[in-house]
C-alpha cells in the first residue's frame, strides 16, 4: 500500500540491515580454498569487497550467502590456493 | 575581527566558525588552499574535527555522506572536474536528505584544459537537488557558509548546499573580511542534531530500495524541502543581519532596479563589476539596474516575475553555455516570466568563459545593446560576447 508522503521518513530507512539481502545468488563462479596450500596471510579477507570472508583460526571461510563470485580473492592470493569453480561443477 | 584574506580562506574560516566536525577532501586547483587551511586548523587544534584525506572527489563526498548520516556536521570543497566526478554521490547526498555544505570554486571544464572562472561545472550540477549560492565577495562566501548550515539543517529542508566562488577572481584575490566572533556564530548556529541517524547497536538500512509504488512520494518530499528552502533563505538572512549587521540579498539581490529601463541578470563576481557599471551609466542618465542571481537553486522565479512588469528588457549574462540550447540562467529567467501579463524583452549574452575578462566596457556595451533591443526586440536571442571572428567589437 502506498503511504501518504506525509507519513514517510525523508529518505527510506529500513529496519532490516543489508545482511538480509542474500546476494550470493548472483554468483556464476565460486571460490574454493585449498587449505593445504593456504599460508593464512589474510590477504583474501582484506580484499573481499563484500566482507564475505571470515577468518577461523586464520583460515578463510567464504560465506556463500553473500559471495558474488568476483574472483578478487583468487586473483590476490599470493600462494594461489584459491581457484574459481563454475557453480555446479567441482 | 577584520582580516585580509582570499575567497578560499574565507571558505575555510566559514567552515571553521560553523564548527564542521568532519572534513573529507581531495586537492584540485583552484580549491586546494581551502582544505589546506582547514588541515592546518585541525592539526593545530584550532578546529576540533576529523580530517579525512581521500583518493578522489567521489570518495570525499562519500565520506561526508557517511559522517553526516552518523550525525556529524560535514564540509568539503572542490572545483570543476572534481565536482563533476562527484556527480553520482551529489544525488545521494540530496536523496538521503543530508545537509552537507560544500564550496565549489567554479572553474571551466576541460578540454580545452583551463583552470579559470566559468560556471559550467556548477550549472551542470543544477539537477542534483543541492542548493546553489553564487557569491560576489569573500565576505559573502564566509557568511553564506554559516547561513547555509542553518538553512539546510532545519527539518523542513534537510538538503545539501553548494557555495560558489569564481576561480581566482574570488578564490585567490585578497579582500578585507570581517571574521565574526566564535561565540556570536555559536549563538546563531546551534549544533547539528538530525532526527534520524545511524546508531551503533541498532543496524538499519539508509536510503534503501523502494518500489515504484513509493518512489515518487520521496521525490515529492525533496521538492517540498527545496520549496521550504526558499522561505528559510530569507528568514535566516534576516536573523543573520540582526546578529552580524550584514545581508547579501536573499535569492535575487536587486541593485537600482526599481525604476530601471533595462536590467542585467548575472551571477558571481561579475555582478560586483556590474554594480560599478550601473553607477557609471546612471551618472550619464541611463536608467539601468542589476538583478544578481544569488540562489540558482532554488531559483528566484517569483522575484523575476515581480520585476517583469517594471522593466523593458532583461539582459541575462551567462558564464556558461548549455549546448543545443542557450545559457541556463537565460532559460530560467525566461520561463519565470512567461506567465506574466507584461513581459520584457529578454536577451542572453554568453561571456567570460574559461576566465575571459568581462570588463566594465563590455558590461556597458551589453547595457547599451539591451537599451536598443528592449525597444525593437532581439534579432538574435543568444549572443556570444567577445569571440574572435564575430563581427561585433566588444573591446
Amino acid at each position: 500500500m502506498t503511504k501518504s508522503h506525509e507519513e514517510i521518513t525523508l529518505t527510506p530507512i529500513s529496519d532490516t540491515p543489508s545482511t538480509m539481502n542474500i546476494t550470493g545468488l548472483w554468483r556464476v563462479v565460486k571460490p574454493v580454498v585449498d587449505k593445504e596450500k593456504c599460508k593464512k596471510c589474510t590477504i583474501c579477507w582484506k580484499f573481499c569487497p563484500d566482507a564475505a570472508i571470515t577468518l577461523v583460526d586464520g583460515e578463510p571461510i567464504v560465506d556463500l550467502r553473500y559471495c558474488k563470485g568476483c574472483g578478487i580473492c583468487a586473483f590476490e592470493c599470493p600462494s594461489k590456493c584459491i581457484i574459481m569453480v563454475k557453480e555446479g561443477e567441482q | 575581527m577584520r582580516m585580509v584574506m582570499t575567497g578560499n580562506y574565507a571558505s575555510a574560516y566559514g567552515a571553521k566558525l560553523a564548527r564542521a566536525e568532519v572534513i573529507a577532501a581531495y586537492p584540485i586547483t583552484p580549491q586546494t588552499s581551502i582544505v589546506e587551511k582547514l588541515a592546518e586548523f585541525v592539526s593545530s587544534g584550532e578546529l576540533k574535527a576529523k580530517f579525512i584525506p581521500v583518493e578522489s572527489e567521489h570518495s570525499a563526498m562519500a565520506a561526508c555522506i557517511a559522517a553526516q548520516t552518523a550525525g556529524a556536521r560535514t564540509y568539503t570543497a572542490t572545483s570543476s572536474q572534481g565536482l563533476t566526478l562527484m556527480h553520482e554521490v551529489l544525488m545521494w547526498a540530496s536523496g538521503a536528505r543530508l545537509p552537507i555544505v560544500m564550496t565549489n570554486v567554479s572553474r571551466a571544464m576541460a578540454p580545452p584544459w583551463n583552470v579559470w572562472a566559468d560556471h559550467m561545472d556548477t550549472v551542470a550540477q543544477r539537477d542534483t537537488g543541492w542548493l546553489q549560492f553564487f557569491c560576489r565577495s569573500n565576505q559573502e562566501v564566509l557568511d553564506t557558509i554559516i547561513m547555509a548550515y542553518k538553512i539546510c539543517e532545519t527539518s523542513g529542508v534537510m538538503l545539501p548546499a553548494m557555495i560558489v566562488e569564481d576561480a581566482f577572481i574570488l578564490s585567490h584575490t585578497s579582500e578585507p573580511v570581517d571574521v565574526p566572533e566564535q561565540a556570536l556564530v555559536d549563538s546563531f548556529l546551534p549544533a547539528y542534531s538530525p532526527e534520524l541517524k545511524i546508531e551503533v547497536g541498532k543496524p538499519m538500512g539508509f536510503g534503501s530500495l523502494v518500489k515504484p509504488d513509493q518512489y515518487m512520494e520521496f521525490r515529492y518530499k525533496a521538492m517540498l524541502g527545496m520549496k521550504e528552502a526558499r522561505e528559510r533563505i530569507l528568514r535566516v538572512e534576516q536573523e543573520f543581519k540582526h546578529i552580524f549587521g550584514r545581508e547579501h540579498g536573499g535569492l535575487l539581490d536587486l541593485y537600482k532596479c526599481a525604476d530601471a529601463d533595462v536590467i542585467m541578470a548575472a551571477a558571481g563576481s561579475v555582478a560586483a563589476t556590474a554594480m560599478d557599471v550601473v553607477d557609471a551609466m546612471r551618472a550619464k542618465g541611463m536608467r539601468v539596474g542589476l538583478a544578481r542571481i544569488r540562489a540558482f537553486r532554488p531559483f528566484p522565479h517569483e522575484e523575476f516575475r515581480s520585476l517583469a512588469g517594471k522593466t523593458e528588457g532583461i539582459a541575462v549574462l551567462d558564464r556558461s553555455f548549455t549546448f543545443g540550447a542557450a545559457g541556463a540562467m537565460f532559460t530560467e529567467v525566461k520561463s519565470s516570466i512567461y506567465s506574466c501579463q507584461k513581459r520584457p524583452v529578454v536577451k542572453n549574452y554568453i561571456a567570460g568563459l574559461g576566465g575571459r575578462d568581462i570588463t566594465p566596457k563590455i558590461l556597458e556595451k551589453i547595457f547599451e545593446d539591451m537599451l536598443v533591443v528592449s525597444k525593437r526586440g532581439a534579432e538574435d536571442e543568444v549572443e556570444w560576447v567577445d569571440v574572435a571572428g564575430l563581427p561585433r567589437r566588444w573591446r
Side-chain angles (χ1 to χ4, degrees), chain B residues 141-162:
Chain B
V141 169
L142 185 148
D143 293 349
T144 309
I145 288 174
I146 296 168
M147 280 190 264
Y149 281 109
K150 194 170 168 101
I151 292 161
C152 296
E153 288 175 1
T154 44
S155 59
V157 179
M158 292 299 278
L159 288 167
M162 200 180 289

Side-chain angles (χ1 to χ4, degrees), chain B residues 44-117:
Chain B
S44 70
E46 276 181 82
L47 174 62
K48 284 186 178 41
K50 172 84 179 166
F51 190 95
I52 311 173
V54 287
E55 76 282 13
S56 78
E57 287 84 358
H58 191 279
S59 300
M61 186 46 58
C64 285
I65 285 168
Q68 194 89 25
T69 311
R73 183 177 282 159
T74 68
Y75 174 83
T76 187
T78 189
S79 183
S80 185
Q81 316 288 131
L83 180 71
T84 46
L85 180 59
M86 276 182 190
H87 181 71
E88 180 208 1
V89 265
L90 293 181
M91 299 236 189
W92 190 278
S94 64
R97 308 301 295 274
L98 300 169
I100 297 164
V101 173
M102 164 169 73
T103 297
N104 181 53
V105 182
S106 218
R107 159 191 148 179
M109 293 298 303
W113 199 248
N114 178 299
V115 296
W116 291 276

Side-chain angles (χ1 to χ4, degrees), chain B residues 127-194:
Chain B
D127 300 332
T128 53
W130 283 59
L131 280 72
Q132 293 182 313
F133 294 98
F134 282 90
C135 298
R136 73 166 169 82
S137 71
N138 297 350
Q139 184 72 63
E140 188 181 359
V141 169
L142 185 148
D143 293 349
T144 309
I145 288 174
I146 296 168
M147 280 190 264
Y149 281 109
K150 194 170 168 101
I151 292 161
C152 296
E153 288 175 1
T154 44
S155 59
V157 179
M158 292 299 278
L159 288 167
M162 200 180 289
I163 314 302
V164 183
E165 288 175 22
D166 283 346
F168 296 103
I169 300 168
L170 291 189
S171 73
H172 286 65
T173 305
S174 293
E175 289 182 337
V177 172
D178 179 63
V179 180
E181 293 297 319
Q182 184 68 59
L184 221 51
V185 177
D186 291 345
S187 73
F188 172 77
L189 180 66
Y192 178 52
S193 159

